[in-house]
């Protein structure tokens, strides 16, 4: 049996930066009131670990007080929220991912200069809400997730527009939208989809072609982990693993000789290791002699 772990499985750069930042700060400042504004990541495993260190997650700005040290997650926040948090808290540490910050700058600068804004993404996603909150100068802003919706938006745009994309949007859909927009020469299109997402999807799809089954490790609330799962399901039998116990429900036929493992951007390295370790034990119990564990995450 061969188990292969995708090189890009787990935390992306932006999430790792935010989680490590909060962890280091929380360990060094026990007793202080440390709060993360919004769910730091969609991963109960990591959130529980932070809670053990006394870190609280607040969803409501009203819950922020003078004594609080506030961390802003990688998704970012709107300009108004940032100003309000700064006014209320003792100190703010901004862990907005630099790639998301770049979108904030594009949107803000162009709306200041008279462009309308089109955001391709999910209007309920916190990153998109934050991006929309950087439009200024009363310019129009549309959030769309399909060519049909972008056509509707185009009918309402006044003059020039700028198009940006949610960092974790479906890369295939984004390519189709970009192709469609090529005929709209008065639109500036910024390719702001995160390469970490594309690489993870590409690498996992490639891995899926070379193994018998795939495991996707992560929290079911995580949208990028779900997208990964949906994508791989089309290629190979794929199982969503939230916790190691989920492995017990997978029935492995004798023809299965290899397992591929990947994980969403919000899955910690510990969770992936735990799953691989459990697989190792499971196969040892089954006395499969040709077990080989290949982890290449250098
Ligand atoms: Fe940043 Fe890309 Fe992760 S935008 S938070 S590195 S998915």
């Amino acid at each position: 049996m061969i188990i292969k772990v995708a090189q890009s499985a787990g935390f992306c750069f932006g999430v790792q930066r935010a989680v490590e930042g909060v962890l280091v700060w929380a360990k060094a400042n026990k007793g202080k009131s440390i709060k993360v504004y919004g769910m730091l990541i969609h991963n109960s495993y990591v959130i529980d670990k932070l809670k053990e260190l006394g870190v609280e997650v607040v969803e409501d700005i009203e819950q922020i007080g003078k004594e609080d040290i506030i961390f802003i997650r990688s998704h970012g926040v709107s300009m108004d929220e940032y100003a309000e948090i700064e006014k209320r808290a003792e100190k703010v540490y901004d862990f907005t991912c630099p790639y998301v910050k770049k979108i904030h700058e594009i949107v803000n600068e162009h709306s200041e200069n008279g462009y309308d804004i089109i955001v391709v993404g999910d209007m309920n996603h916190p990153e998109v809400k934050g991006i929309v909150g950087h439009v200024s100068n009363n310019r129009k802003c549309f959030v769309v997730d399909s060519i049909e919706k972008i056509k509707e938006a185009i009918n309402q745009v006044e003059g020039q527009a700028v198009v940006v994309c949610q960092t974790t949007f479906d890369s295939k859909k984004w390519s189709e939208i970009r192709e469609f927009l090529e005929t709209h020469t008065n639109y500036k299109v910024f390719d702001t989809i995160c390469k970490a997402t594309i690489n993870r999807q590409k690498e996992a799809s490639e891995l899926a072609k070379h193994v018998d089954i795939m495991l996707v490790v992560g929290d079911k609330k995580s949208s990028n982990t779900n997208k990964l799962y949906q994508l791989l399901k089309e290629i190979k039998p794929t199982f969503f693993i939230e916790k190691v116990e989920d492995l017990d429900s997978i029935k492995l036929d004798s023809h299965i000789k290899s397992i591929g493992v990947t994980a969403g951007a919000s899955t910690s390295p510990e969770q992936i290791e735990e799953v691989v370790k459990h697989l190792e034990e499971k196969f040892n119990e089954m006395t499969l002699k040709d077990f080989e564990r290949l982890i290449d995450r250098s």
Side-chain angles (χ1 to χ4, degrees):
M1 178 66 75
I2 294 176
I3 299 170
K4 289 191 179 188
V5 182
Q7 197 168 347
S8 58
F11 281 174
C12 63
F13 148 77
V15 167
Q16 178 151 5
R17 180 175 164 268
V19 172
E20 274 177 8
V22 179
L23 275 173
V24 166
W25 219 96
K27 278 180 190 160
N29 292 277
K30 284 201 179 126
K32 290 239 179 196
S33 174
I34 302 167
K35 295 178 177 171
V36 179
Y37 181 59
M39 198 54 85
L40 182 65
I41 50 173
H42 288 119
N43 182 327
S44 326
Y45 177 93
V46 174
I47 295 294
D48 288 348
K49 289 229 171 296
L50 288 171
K51 279 186 186 159
E52 281 167 24
L53 289 168
V55 179
E56 211 184 307
V57 176
V58 287
E59 302 279 355
D60 184 354
I61 228 160
E62 301 283 331
Q63 290 173 277
I64 298 174
K66 271 203 212 109
E67 316 275 297
D68 295 338
I69 314 286
I70 297 293
F71 287 85
I72 291 176
R73 58 186 172 171
S74 55
H75 297 103
V77 291
S78 69
M79 289 195 291
D80 287 351
E81 276 175 303
Y82 192 88
E84 185 61 27
I85 294 167
E86 244 192 343
K87 208 165 75 188
R88 287 172 170 266
E90 185 188 318
K91 186 128 189 71
V92 185
Y93 289 97
D94 186 0
F95 280 102
T96 305
C97 176
Y99 302 138
V100 177
K101 262 216 146 67
K102 181 78 199 150
I103 307 178
H104 292 173
E105 284 163 17
I106 295 170
V107 163
N108 190 250
E109 213 177 285
H110 283 83
S111 52
E112 283 287 343
N113 289 322
Y115 284 79
D116 281 348
I117 306 293
I118 298 178
V119 184
V120 178
D122 170 3
M123 66 167 74
N124 296 313
H125 194 282
E127 179 193 317
V128 173
K129 289 182 182 169
I131 294 170
V132 171
H134 281 76
V135 178
S136 65
N137 206 11
N138 288 324
R139 296 312 306 181
K140 286 185 180 166
C141 179
F142 307 89
V143 179
V144 302
D145 60 3
S146 64
I147 292 182
E148 288 64 44
K149 292 209 180 120
I150 213 164
K151 281 181 188 164
E152 287 170 24
I154 285 169
N155 288 334
Q156 298 171 65
V157 164
E158 292 166 357
Q160 293 181 310
V162 150
V163 185
V164 292
C165 177
Q166 179 185 339
T167 55
T168 50
F169 194 68
D170 183 310
S171 56
K172 198 165 156 259
K173 270 197 192 172
W174 173 234
S175 301
E176 286 162 11
I177 290 173
R178 281 176 70 195
E179 207 175 302
F180 166 76
L181 286 169
E182 272 169 16
T183 49
H184 292 78
T185 46
N186 58 336
Y187 283 28
K188 272 194 188 177
V189 181
F190 289 87
D191 185 1
T192 52
I193 199 161
C194 177
K195 303 294 176 285
T197 308
I198 298 179
N199 290 344
R200 180 192 315 276
Q201 291 175 354
K202 268 194 191 156
E203 197 204 354
S205 308
E206 200 46 43
L207 176 58
K209 288 180 201 157
H210 297 96
V211 292
D212 297 320
I213 61 165
M214 282 297 293
L215 306 183
V216 177
V217 186
D219 196 301
K220 284 194 174 149
K221 289 193 291 299
S222 155
S223 99
N224 79 83
T225 313
N226 267 301
K227 276 180 205 152
L228 198 56
Y229 171 68
Q230 297 301 337
L231 179 84
L232 297 173
K233 244 177 31 166
E234 301 292 318
I235 307 170
K236 274 286 151 73
T238 302
F239 300 88
F240 207 125
I241 306 295
E242 277 195 298
K243 46 192 181 330
V244 283
E245 290 76 24
D246 296 341
L247 291 170
D248 299 337
S249 59
I250 303 173
K251 300 278 168 280
L252 294 178
D253 298 340
S254 55
H255 77 276
I256 293 171
K257 302 280 183 244
S258 55
I259 301 175
V261 181
T262 188
S266 51
T267 309
S268 71
E270 292 82 19
Q271 286 171 283
I272 302 167
E273 290 294 338
E274 215 174 310
V275 167
V276 173
K277 204 166 149 247
H278 198 85
L279 281 172
E280 203 173 65
E281 283 159 11
K282 197 172 159 91
F283 288 119
N284 278 341
E285 272 169 29
M286 291 164 72
T287 60
L288 287 173
K289 295 208 165 44
D290 57 343
F291 179 86
E292 184 187 350
R293 177 179 164 195
L294 296 178
I295 300 182
D296 181 10
R297 293 199 284 136
S298 53

